[in-house]
Amino acid sequence: MSSIETEEKRKRLNYGSLLLGIGLAGAFDGVVFHQLLQWHSVYMHTHRHGQIVSDGLFHAATVVALVFGAVLLWRAGHPGGVERGRRLLFGGALVGAGGFNVVEGLVNHHLLQVHHVRPGHPQELLYDLAFLASGVLLYAIGYAIRQHADGRGRKRAVGA
């Protein structure tokens, strides 16, 4: 495989894994917090029909992220064909999921306040902060996996 083909495969693996992580985190959020626990909807400051529609649009966006991520990963081929490909795949998915939680938590819970993890609960802020912490933790673990030293103890460069 030429270096151009390898670099293209690496890009698809990177972007595909990030999108997969974003889509998985969004799907988990939607299924667990929106549907099973029914703690919140994407947009709480409306009637129930509006809340359901906002959740539906959110779920559609997570499906789009999952599909685009899956297509990029499929086009990249087996991750074993790229140096550290499995680390890029798994670490990238965790970085994407953690990034989703951090951005969604900061924007929706704190800046715009369109919803909180558990609105109206006496510990509402604690739930929001725990959600942010989960994002930071997922991101940090994914980043560490992607940057993990090789067998000779040398650090690898970002994206390498």
Side-chain angles (χ1 to χ4, degrees):
M1 187 180 321
S2 75
S3 63
I4 293 173
E5 291 172 327
T6 301
E7 187 57 32
E8 187 61 32
K9 184 172 183 166
R10 180 178 296 286
K11 283 182 184 178
R12 288 178 180 151
L13 188 58
N14 277 321
Y15 292 124
S17 64
L18 289 172
L19 282 171
L20 183 70
I22 290 167
L24 288 172
F28 179 85
D29 180 287
V31 169
V32 174
F33 296 123
H34 299 208
Q35 294 174 330
L36 295 176
L37 297 173
Q38 296 183 15
W39 283 356
H40 67 260
S41 291
V42 171
Y43 187 65
M44 294 295 294
H45 309 293
T46 187
H47 47 78
R48 188 67 186 137
H49 177 74
Q51 292 172 351
I52 292 170
V53 169
S54 71
D55 283 352
L57 293 171
F58 172 71
H59 291 303
T62 63
V63 168
V64 168
L66 286 168
V67 168
F68 277 109
V71 167
L72 284 171
L73 291 173
W74 175 69
R75 294 206 47 208
H78 192 278
V82 172
E83 183 181 353
R84 296 177 51 244
R86 289 179 184 91
R87 287 187 183 281
L88 292 174
L89 174 63
F90 188 63
L94 291 175
V95 165
F100 170 86
N101 280 7
V102 170
V103 170
E104 199 270 336
L106 288 174
V107 172
N108 289 338
H109 305 167
H110 297 284
L111 293 176
L112 301 177
Q113 296 197 14
V114 296
H115 70 254
H116 296 279
V117 174
R118 194 157 183 200
H121 189 276
Q123 301 296 323
E124 180 179 281
L125 179 60
L126 186 60
Y127 279 93
D128 288 346
L129 293 175
F131 187 84
L132 278 176
S134 74
V136 170
L137 182 63
L138 287 171
Y139 188 95
I141 292 169
Y143 183 83
I145 289 170
R146 290 174 56 89
Q147 300 304 310
H148 191 271
D150 67 9
R152 293 174 293 257
R154 292 188 320 229
K155 292 292 274 183
R156 297 283 186 161
V158 176

